[in-house]
Amino acid sequence: MTVPAKLRIALSQLNPIVGDLKGNAKRAADAHARAKALGADVIVFPELFLNGYPPEDLVLKPAFQDATRAELERLSVQCADGPAMLIGAIWRHDGKVYNAVALLDGGRIEAVTLKVDLPNYGVFDEKRVFATGPMPGPLNVRGVRIGVPICEDIWGAEVVETLAETGAELLVSPNGSPFDWPKSEIRMNIAVGRVTESGLPLAYVNQVGGQDELVFDGASFVLNSDRSLAVQLPAWREELCLTEWRRTPKGWVCQPAKAAKLAEGPAAAYHACVLGLKDYVNKNGFPGVVLGLSGGIDSALVAAIAVDALGPDRVHAVMLPSKFTSDESLADAAACAKALGIRYDKVSIEPAVAGLTWSLKDLFAGTNADITEENLQSRVRGTILMAISNKFGAMVVTTGNKSEMSVGYATLYGDMNGGYNPIKDIYKTQVYALARWRNAHVPEGGFGPHAEVIPERVLTKAPTAELRANQTDQDSLPPYDELDDILVSLVENEMPVAEVIARGHAPETVKKIERLLYLAEYKRRQAAPGVKISARNFGRDRRYPITNWFREDVPSKAELTDAQAPEKATKPPASPVNQKIAK
């Protein structure tokens, strides 16, 4: 075979649906046809594209394994003409199942390479369902020896080193790498490390789209062997990009092409929330969403996210006032709904609350009103929203933020009711940052208006659940900037309590928050899924037992002596949460 001097590689950053083998195969065939028209020699798809990523325990189902192989065979025949195809799929061999990439060319499966490094941390548990592949060699693709490290294979040096030593001329890495705050920078650093060590250029092809809690941002790229960025695809949308490569005396070089600018900070988080909600609703076939719009910041932000994701015609907001609901909240909720252009209804909860109170009057005789009566209001609201969902089919979107979910400031079978929560992994201080960003911007592809959609008063007034007269969140919680700093320290960083206190927080406050964090685990286990934003979300990343007696033994402020006390900061450092937002 003649050694080519040029190579055209199409990077296919697409949005698969887990389990939709025929649909994903059609997406691949359509992209192949477009790449053929562009004159591509090879087209590359993300990790496990044919199956959708992550397929979780579907991998263990023999019928799914059989259907995957059959669809892969059909796809190879269908795409016999035109560019070769590198496509991710599960692969069964000798009774074991592997995470694989198949080379389809000339109407058949020419070769298969298997993933070696199976991630088993955070959101990943691939060792549970896949067998480890052997150290790979490069694939001969149209006369070019291409190394195909699959996702985690580039996070360590060994696989790429083996590929380089066995003759790879360039690297193409299919990925299913989900978004979180620091991930984009980490990915690039990892890729630069592998390019530096191997001396080979690298094309990184990532999935885009939402899958349950995970959101994949795409943002595929190409690094040349001198570590220069030759191509940067955009994040948060599908893209097919043809890259031009030339053989030089020093190896293959990708010609500079697309250079998209990637969103950072609150812009990136907002896009993730929008895409996560959009794909969860659309991929699961819901006609739209319904939510309680209270006049507060959380529900206002979720309403804006929903409109940007689905369009105003698919979002239904319901104000559920009680005798404690202020005129200010009524006005703010109505103003937000009007700004977003969504359907807005008011349904008083007073008759239902009165009926339940009457039903319980004999049982509750001789007791004082307390949190029970407050939670009753929340549960009535949740029941009404679920009734609307049952009647008309729209999914209830719940609106609790990560600060509230951390300390249990939410009511089971009440305001926690719902099918999905786009801000579940967003701390309260981040909620404000995202809301201000949205008032000044519209996300790419968003369906919402190019205008302020969250009234300024919603951003400045004291947050309150309005379950009793003159209530504010700070009646029972520290200010949110303080609370979030403590929570980031305990949740994201697993910082010892003594070190959290050393950041300038009162020992009694830190121990109270630690206790609430542990106690609320049973609530979080019953919460709706929601978009993963942080590197340590509740559920997939952070898995604590519900029954848990462990508490750190730290003396109270009164008990601390100069000798005992950790060195205290004169001023609490800025929360890592806010540092990331400001970045």
Side-chain angles (χ1 to χ4, degrees), residues 317-364:
V318 185
M319 163 52 98
L320 298 154
S322 74
K323 63 184 179 182
F324 300 117
T325 302
S326 67
D327 291 340
E328 186 179 82
S329 293
L330 290 166
D332 291 340
C336 182
K338 182 178 180 181
L340 289 167
I342 57 180
R343 177 180 173 181
Y344 175 71
D345 291 301
K346 283 197 297 182
V347 179
S348 174
I349 69 169
E350 279 303 307
V353 171
L356 288 170
T357 302
W358 185 88
S359 296
L360 293 166
K361 65 181 176 61
D362 292 337
L363 191 61
F364 286 3

Side-chain angles (χ1 to χ4, degrees), residues 42-84:
V42 59
I43 182 170
V44 185
F45 292 90
E47 180 179 14
L48 292 181
F49 181 80
L50 187 59
N51 304 99
Y53 187 83
E56 302 188 67
D57 280 10
L58 275 175
V59 171
L60 304 176
K61 193 174 185 65
F64 189 62
Q65 300 165 14
D66 294 340
T68 299
R69 181 59 179 267
E71 205 60 55
L72 196 61
E73 297 280 3
R74 280 193 289 269
L75 186 63
S76 67
V77 173
Q78 183 180 359
C79 298
D81 297 327

